[in-house]
PDB file of all heavy atoms in Angstrom:
ATOM      1  N   ILE A  14       0.230 -14.456  -7.686  1.00 97.00           N
ATOM      2  CA  ILE A  14       1.091 -13.779  -6.708  1.00 97.00           C
ATOM      3  C   ILE A  14       0.394 -13.714  -5.356  1.00 97.00           C
ATOM      4  O   ILE A  14       1.014 -13.953  -4.317  1.00 97.00           O
ATOM      5  CB  ILE A  14       1.468 -12.362  -7.198  1.00 97.00           C
ATOM      6  CG1 ILE A  14       2.336 -12.449  -8.457  1.00 97.00           C
ATOM      7  CG2 ILE A  14       2.198 -11.587  -6.104  1.00 97.00           C
ATOM      8  CD1 ILE A  14       2.493 -11.119  -9.183  1.00 97.00           C
ATOM      9  N   LEU A  15      -0.904 -13.407  -5.355  1.00 97.00           N
ATOM     10  CA  LEU A  15      -1.652 -13.313  -4.098  1.00 97.00           C
ATOM     11  C   LEU A  15      -1.641 -14.651  -3.359  1.00 97.00           C
ATOM     12  O   LEU A  15      -1.324 -14.705  -2.164  1.00 97.00           O
ATOM     13  CB  LEU A  15      -3.094 -12.863  -4.354  1.00 97.00           C
ATOM     14  CG  LEU A  15      -3.995 -12.837  -3.113  1.00 97.00           C
ATOM     15  CD1 LEU A  15      -3.472 -11.860  -2.077  1.00 97.00           C
ATOM     16  CD2 LEU A  15      -5.428 -12.507  -3.495  1.00 97.00           C
ATOM     17  N   ILE A  16      -1.969 -15.714  -4.053  1.00 98.00           N
ATOM     18  CA  ILE A  16      -2.019 -17.031  -3.404  1.00 98.00           C
ATOM     19  C   ILE A  16      -0.654 -17.423  -2.848  1.00 98.00           C
ATOM     20  O   ILE A  16      -0.546 -17.866  -1.695  1.00 98.00           O
ATOM     21  CB  ILE A  16      -2.552 -18.097  -4.386  1.00 98.00           C
ATOM     22  CG1 ILE A  16      -4.037 -17.837  -4.664  1.00 98.00           C
ATOM     23  CG2 ILE A  16      -2.334 -19.504  -3.847  1.00 98.00           C
ATOM     24  CD1 ILE A  16      -4.591 -18.595  -5.853  1.00 98.00           C
ATOM     25  N   ASN A  18       1.807 -15.485  -1.942  1.00 98.00           N
ATOM     26  CA  ASN A  18       2.196 -14.647  -0.809  1.00 98.00           C
ATOM     27  C   ASN A  18       1.317 -14.870   0.414  1.00 98.00           C
ATOM     28  O   ASN A  18       1.796 -14.754   1.541  1.00 98.00           O
ATOM     29  CB  ASN A  18       2.255 -13.181  -1.228  1.00 98.00           C
ATOM     30  CG  ASN A  18       3.544 -12.903  -1.959  1.00 98.00           C
ATOM     31  OD1 ASN A  18       4.598 -12.789  -1.351  1.00 98.00           O
ATOM     32  ND2 ASN A  18       3.474 -12.855  -3.271  1.00 98.00           N
ATOM     33  N   LEU A  19       0.054 -15.202   0.217  1.00 98.00           N
ATOM     34  CA  LEU A  19      -0.790 -15.566   1.363  1.00 98.00           C
ATOM     35  C   LEU A  19      -0.239 -16.822   2.039  1.00 98.00           C
ATOM     36  O   LEU A  19      -0.127 -16.873   3.272  1.00 98.00           O
ATOM     37  CB  LEU A  19      -2.239 -15.790   0.939  1.00 98.00           C
ATOM     38  CG  LEU A  19      -3.080 -14.547   0.722  1.00 98.00           C
ATOM     39  CD1 LEU A  19      -4.402 -14.898   0.043  1.00 98.00           C
ATOM     40  CD2 LEU A  19      -3.327 -13.824   2.043  1.00 98.00           C
ATOM     41  N   ILE A  20       0.112 -17.808   1.224  1.00 98.00           N
ATOM     42  CA  ILE A  20       0.699 -19.035   1.779  1.00 98.00           C
ATOM     43  C   ILE A  20       1.973 -18.702   2.542  1.00 98.00           C
ATOM     44  O   ILE A  20       2.191 -19.161   3.673  1.00 98.00           O
ATOM     45  CB  ILE A  20       0.967 -20.070   0.659  1.00 98.00           C
ATOM     46  CG1 ILE A  20      -0.360 -20.590   0.106  1.00 98.00           C
ATOM     47  CG2 ILE A  20       1.846 -21.216   1.173  1.00 98.00           C
ATOM     48  CD1 ILE A  20      -0.226 -21.378  -1.194  1.00 98.00           C
ATOM     49  N   GLU A  22       3.022 -15.720   3.808  1.00 96.00           N
ATOM     50  CA  GLU A  22       2.779 -14.875   4.988  1.00 96.00           C
ATOM     51  C   GLU A  22       2.204 -15.687   6.146  1.00 96.00           C
ATOM     52  O   GLU A  22       2.662 -15.560   7.286  1.00 96.00           O
ATOM     53  CB  GLU A  22       1.834 -13.715   4.644  1.00 96.00           C
ATOM     54  CG  GLU A  22       2.379 -12.696   3.669  1.00 96.00           C
ATOM     55  CD  GLU A  22       3.436 -11.767   4.238  1.00 96.00           C
ATOM     56  OE1 GLU A  22       3.720 -11.811   5.460  1.00 96.00           O
ATOM     57  OE2 GLU A  22       4.003 -10.980   3.459  1.00 96.00           O
ATOM     58  N   PHE A  23       1.198 -16.512   5.869  1.00 96.00           N
ATOM     59  CA  PHE A  23       0.572 -17.279   6.940  1.00 96.00           C
ATOM     60  C   PHE A  23       1.507 -18.357   7.487  1.00 96.00           C
ATOM     61  O   PHE A  23       1.525 -18.606   8.692  1.00 96.00           O
ATOM     62  CB  PHE A  23      -0.762 -17.881   6.479  1.00 96.00           C
ATOM     63  CG  PHE A  23      -1.909 -16.926   6.597  1.00 96.00           C
ATOM     64  CD1 PHE A  23      -2.187 -16.031   5.573  1.00 96.00           C
ATOM     65  CD2 PHE A  23      -2.701 -16.900   7.732  1.00 96.00           C
ATOM     66  CE1 PHE A  23      -3.236 -15.133   5.675  1.00 96.00           C
ATOM     67  CE2 PHE A  23      -3.758 -16.007   7.853  1.00 96.00           C
ATOM     68  CZ  PHE A  23      -4.023 -15.122   6.816  1.00 96.00           C
ATOM     69  N   SER A  26       4.338 -16.491   9.610  1.00 93.00           N
ATOM     70  CA  SER A  26       3.949 -15.461  10.583  1.00 93.00           C
ATOM     71  C   SER A  26       4.404 -15.774  12.005  1.00 93.00           C
ATOM     72  O   SER A  26       4.614 -14.860  12.808  1.00 93.00           O
ATOM     73  CB  SER A  26       2.438 -15.241  10.558  1.00 93.00           C
ATOM     74  OG  SER A  26       1.756 -16.402  10.988  1.00 93.00           O
ATOM     75  N   ASP A  31       4.488  -9.197  16.039  1.00 84.00           N
ATOM     76  CA  ASP A  31       3.868  -8.042  15.379  1.00 84.00           C
ATOM     77  C   ASP A  31       3.597  -6.957  16.409  1.00 84.00           C
ATOM     78  O   ASP A  31       2.886  -7.170  17.378  1.00 84.00           O
ATOM     79  CB  ASP A  31       2.567  -8.470  14.711  1.00 84.00           C
ATOM     80  CG  ASP A  31       1.936  -7.379  13.871  1.00 84.00           C
ATOM     81  OD1 ASP A  31       2.435  -6.239  13.879  1.00 84.00           O
ATOM     82  OD2 ASP A  31       0.936  -7.669  13.201  1.00 84.00           O
ATOM     83  N   ILE A  35      -2.159  -4.034  14.434  1.00 85.00           N
ATOM     84  CA  ILE A  35      -3.169  -4.539  13.502  1.00 85.00           C
ATOM     85  C   ILE A  35      -3.422  -6.003  13.857  1.00 85.00           C
ATOM     86  O   ILE A  35      -2.489  -6.755  14.129  1.00 85.00           O
ATOM     87  CB  ILE A  35      -2.680  -4.421  12.039  1.00 85.00           C
ATOM     88  CG1 ILE A  35      -2.358  -2.970  11.696  1.00 85.00           C
ATOM     89  CG2 ILE A  35      -3.719  -4.983  11.082  1.00 85.00           C
ATOM     90  CD1 ILE A  35      -1.684  -2.801  10.333  1.00 85.00           C
ATOM     91  N   SER A  36      -4.687  -6.426  13.834  1.00 90.00           N
ATOM     92  CA  SER A  36      -5.018  -7.824  14.092  1.00 90.00           C
ATOM     93  C   SER A  36      -4.277  -8.715  13.098  1.00 90.00           C
ATOM     94  O   SER A  36      -4.107  -8.339  11.937  1.00 90.00           O
ATOM     95  CB  SER A  36      -6.522  -8.051  13.960  1.00 90.00           C
ATOM     96  OG  SER A  36      -7.207  -7.295  14.933  1.00 90.00           O
ATOM     97  N   PRO A  37      -3.859  -9.904  13.543  1.00 90.00           N
ATOM     98  CA  PRO A  37      -2.990 -10.739  12.705  1.00 90.00           C
ATOM     99  C   PRO A  37      -3.543 -11.087  11.323  1.00 90.00           C
ATOM    100  O   PRO A  37      -2.832 -10.931  10.329  1.00 90.00           O
ATOM    101  CB  PRO A  37      -2.795 -12.011  13.539  1.00 90.00           C
ATOM    102  CG  PRO A  37      -3.057 -11.587  14.939  1.00 90.00           C
ATOM    103  CD  PRO A  37      -4.056 -10.486  14.866  1.00 90.00           C
ATOM    104  N   ILE A  38      -4.763 -11.565  11.228  1.00 93.00           N
ATOM    105  CA  ILE A  38      -5.269 -12.008   9.922  1.00 93.00           C
ATOM    106  C   ILE A  38      -5.406 -10.841   8.948  1.00 93.00           C
ATOM    107  O   ILE A  38      -4.907 -10.925   7.822  1.00 93.00           O
ATOM    108  CB  ILE A  38      -6.563 -12.830  10.074  1.00 93.00           C
ATOM    109  CG1 ILE A  38      -6.211 -14.158  10.749  1.00 93.00           C
ATOM    110  CG2 ILE A  38      -7.250 -13.049   8.730  1.00 93.00           C
ATOM    111  CD1 ILE A  38      -7.372 -15.062  11.044  1.00 93.00           C
ATOM    112  N   PRO A  39      -6.037  -9.723   9.334  1.00 93.00           N
ATOM    113  CA  PRO A  39      -6.067  -8.588   8.395  1.00 93.00           C
ATOM    114  C   PRO A  39      -4.664  -8.099   8.024  1.00 93.00           C
ATOM    115  O   PRO A  39      -4.421  -7.701   6.890  1.00 93.00           O
ATOM    116  CB  PRO A  39      -6.845  -7.513   9.140  1.00 93.00           C
ATOM    117  CG  PRO A  39      -7.660  -8.235  10.144  1.00 93.00           C
ATOM    118  CD  PRO A  39      -6.849  -9.451  10.515  1.00 93.00           C
ATOM    119  N   HIS A  40      -3.735  -8.162   8.980  1.00 93.00           N
ATOM    120  CA  HIS A  40      -2.376  -7.713   8.710  1.00 93.00           C
ATOM    121  C   HIS A  40      -1.704  -8.601   7.658  1.00 93.00           C
ATOM    122  O   HIS A  40      -1.011  -8.110   6.759  1.00 93.00           O
ATOM    123  CB  HIS A  40      -1.560  -7.692  10.001  1.00 93.00           C
ATOM    124  CG  HIS A  40      -0.282  -6.943   9.868  1.00 93.00           C
ATOM    125  ND1 HIS A  40       0.700  -6.976  10.812  1.00 93.00           N
ATOM    126  CD2 HIS A  40       0.209  -6.133   8.894  1.00 93.00           C
ATOM    127  CE1 HIS A  40       1.727  -6.232  10.430  1.00 93.00           C
ATOM    128  NE2 HIS A  40       1.446  -5.723   9.274  1.00 93.00           N
ATOM    129  N   LEU A  41      -1.902  -9.905   7.750  1.00 95.00           N
ATOM    130  CA  LEU A  41      -1.300 -10.817   6.784  1.00 95.00           C
ATOM    131  C   LEU A  41      -1.920 -10.648   5.398  1.00 95.00           C
ATOM    132  O   LEU A  41      -1.219 -10.731   4.389  1.00 95.00           O
ATOM    133  CB  LEU A  41      -1.429 -12.261   7.270  1.00 95.00           C
ATOM    134  CG  LEU A  41      -0.652 -12.582   8.552  1.00 95.00           C
ATOM    135  CD1 LEU A  41      -0.979 -13.980   9.050  1.00 95.00           C
ATOM    136  CD2 LEU A  41       0.842 -12.412   8.356  1.00 95.00           C
ATOM    137  N   PHE A  42      -3.229 -10.376   5.341  1.00 96.00           N
ATOM    138  CA  PHE A  42      -3.857 -10.104   4.051  1.00 96.00           C
ATOM    139  C   PHE A  42      -3.349  -8.780   3.481  1.00 96.00           C
ATOM    140  O   PHE A  42      -3.052  -8.694   2.283  1.00 96.00           O
ATOM    141  CB  PHE A  42      -5.395 -10.077   4.179  1.00 96.00           C
ATOM    142  CG  PHE A  42      -6.022 -11.428   4.034  1.00 96.00           C
ATOM    143  CD1 PHE A  42      -6.305 -12.203   5.144  1.00 96.00           C
ATOM    144  CD2 PHE A  42      -6.323 -11.936   2.773  1.00 96.00           C
ATOM    145  CE1 PHE A  42      -6.874 -13.456   5.020  1.00 96.00           C
ATOM    146  CE2 PHE A  42      -6.893 -13.190   2.635  1.00 96.00           C
ATOM    147  CZ  PHE A  42      -7.175 -13.957   3.767  1.00 96.00           C
ATOM    148  N   LEU A  43      -3.223  -7.765   4.316  1.00 95.00           N
ATOM    149  CA  LEU A  43      -2.692  -6.470   3.868  1.00 95.00           C
ATOM    150  C   LEU A  43      -1.267  -6.632   3.341  1.00 95.00           C
ATOM    151  O   LEU A  43      -0.924  -6.091   2.283  1.00 95.00           O
ATOM    152  CB  LEU A  43      -2.732  -5.458   5.019  1.00 95.00           C
ATOM    153  CG  LEU A  43      -2.147  -4.083   4.734  1.00 95.00           C
ATOM    154  CD1 LEU A  43      -2.917  -3.378   3.624  1.00 95.00           C
ATOM    155  CD2 LEU A  43      -2.143  -3.241   6.003  1.00 95.00           C
ATOM    156  N   ALA A  44      -0.458  -7.394   4.055  1.00 95.00           N
ATOM    157  CA  ALA A  44       0.922  -7.632   3.611  1.00 95.00           C
ATOM    158  C   ALA A  44       0.936  -8.350   2.262  1.00 95.00           C
ATOM    159  O   ALA A  44       1.731  -8.008   1.379  1.00 95.00           O
ATOM    160  CB  ALA A  44       1.673  -8.456   4.659  1.00 95.00           C
ATOM    161  N   SER A  45       0.038  -9.313   2.082  1.00 97.00           N
ATOM    162  CA  SER A  45      -0.012 -10.063   0.819  1.00 97.00           C
ATOM    163  C   SER A  45      -0.442  -9.182  -0.346  1.00 97.00           C
ATOM    164  O   SER A  45       0.090  -9.304  -1.450  1.00 97.00           O
ATOM    165  CB  SER A  45      -0.956 -11.257   0.950  1.00 97.00           C
ATOM    166  OG  SER A  45      -0.454 -12.165   1.904  1.00 97.00           O
ATOM    167  N   PHE A  46      -1.407  -8.291  -0.110  1.00 97.00           N
ATOM    168  CA  PHE A  46      -1.815  -7.373  -1.172  1.00 97.00           C
ATOM    169  C   PHE A  46      -0.698  -6.373  -1.485  1.00 97.00           C
ATOM    170  O   PHE A  46      -0.495  -6.007  -2.647  1.00 97.00           O
ATOM    171  CB  PHE A  46      -3.125  -6.655  -0.810  1.00 97.00           C
ATOM    172  CG  PHE A  46      -4.338  -7.509  -1.038  1.00 97.00           C
ATOM    173  CD1 PHE A  46      -4.984  -8.116   0.019  1.00 97.00           C
ATOM    174  CD2 PHE A  46      -4.813  -7.729  -2.328  1.00 97.00           C
ATOM    175  CE1 PHE A  46      -6.097  -8.926  -0.190  1.00 97.00           C
ATOM    176  CE2 PHE A  46      -5.920  -8.534  -2.553  1.00 97.00           C
ATOM    177  CZ  PHE A  46      -6.567  -9.136  -1.482  1.00 97.00           C
ATOM    178  N   THR A  47       0.036  -5.968  -0.481  1.00 97.00           N
ATOM    179  CA  THR A  47       1.191  -5.095  -0.706  1.00 97.00           C
ATOM    180  C   THR A  47       2.255  -5.835  -1.517  1.00 97.00           C
ATOM    181  O   THR A  47       2.878  -5.254  -2.413  1.00 97.00           O
ATOM    182  CB  THR A  47       1.774  -4.618   0.638  1.00 97.00           C
ATOM    183  OG1 THR A  47       0.738  -3.946   1.369  1.00 97.00           O
ATOM    184  CG2 THR A  47       2.945  -3.678   0.441  1.00 97.00           C
ATOM    185  N   ASP A  48       2.444  -7.117  -1.220  1.00 98.00           N
ATOM    186  CA  ASP A  48       3.400  -7.931  -1.978  1.00 98.00           C
ATOM    187  C   ASP A  48       3.032  -7.971  -3.457  1.00 98.00           C
ATOM    188  O   ASP A  48       3.914  -7.935  -4.320  1.00 98.00           O
ATOM    189  CB  ASP A  48       3.461  -9.356  -1.416  1.00 98.00           C
ATOM    190  CG  ASP A  48       3.977  -9.411   0.014  1.00 98.00           C
ATOM    191  OD1 ASP A  48       4.723  -8.499   0.420  1.00 98.00           O
ATOM    192  OD2 ASP A  48       3.623 -10.371   0.727  1.00 98.00           O
ATOM    193  N   ILE A  49       1.726  -8.052  -3.763  1.00 97.00           N
ATOM    194  CA  ILE A  49       1.278  -8.028  -5.164  1.00 97.00           C
ATOM    195  C   ILE A  49       1.776  -6.757  -5.841  1.00 97.00           C
ATOM    196  O   ILE A  49       2.343  -6.809  -6.938  1.00 97.00           O
ATOM    197  CB  ILE A  49      -0.264  -8.084  -5.280  1.00 97.00           C
ATOM    198  CG1 ILE A  49      -0.818  -9.419  -4.843  1.00 97.00           C
ATOM    199  CG2 ILE A  49      -0.702  -7.784  -6.720  1.00 97.00           C
ATOM    200  CD1 ILE A  49      -2.335  -9.439  -4.735  1.00 97.00           C
ATOM    201  N   LEU A  50       1.550  -5.628  -5.202  1.00 97.00           N
ATOM    202  CA  LEU A  50       1.944  -4.345  -5.796  1.00 97.00           C
ATOM    203  C   LEU A  50       3.451  -4.267  -6.013  1.00 97.00           C
ATOM    204  O   LEU A  50       3.910  -3.804  -7.058  1.00 97.00           O
ATOM    205  CB  LEU A  50       1.463  -3.183  -4.927  1.00 97.00           C
ATOM    206  CG  LEU A  50      -0.048  -3.040  -4.783  1.00 97.00           C
ATOM    207  CD1 LEU A  50      -0.382  -1.918  -3.806  1.00 97.00           C
ATOM    208  CD2 LEU A  50      -0.712  -2.810  -6.133  1.00 97.00           C
TER     209      LEU A  50
END
Side-chain angles (χ1 to χ4, degrees):
I14 295 167
L15 176 62
I16 291 166
N18 281 284
L19 281 169
I20 291 167
E22 294 287 354
F23 276 86
S26 65
D31 187 354
I35 301 172
S36 297
I38 291 177
H40 194 191
L41 295 173
F42 273 94
L43 177 62
S45 296
F46 281 103
T47 303
D48 296 334
I49 292 171
L50 296 175

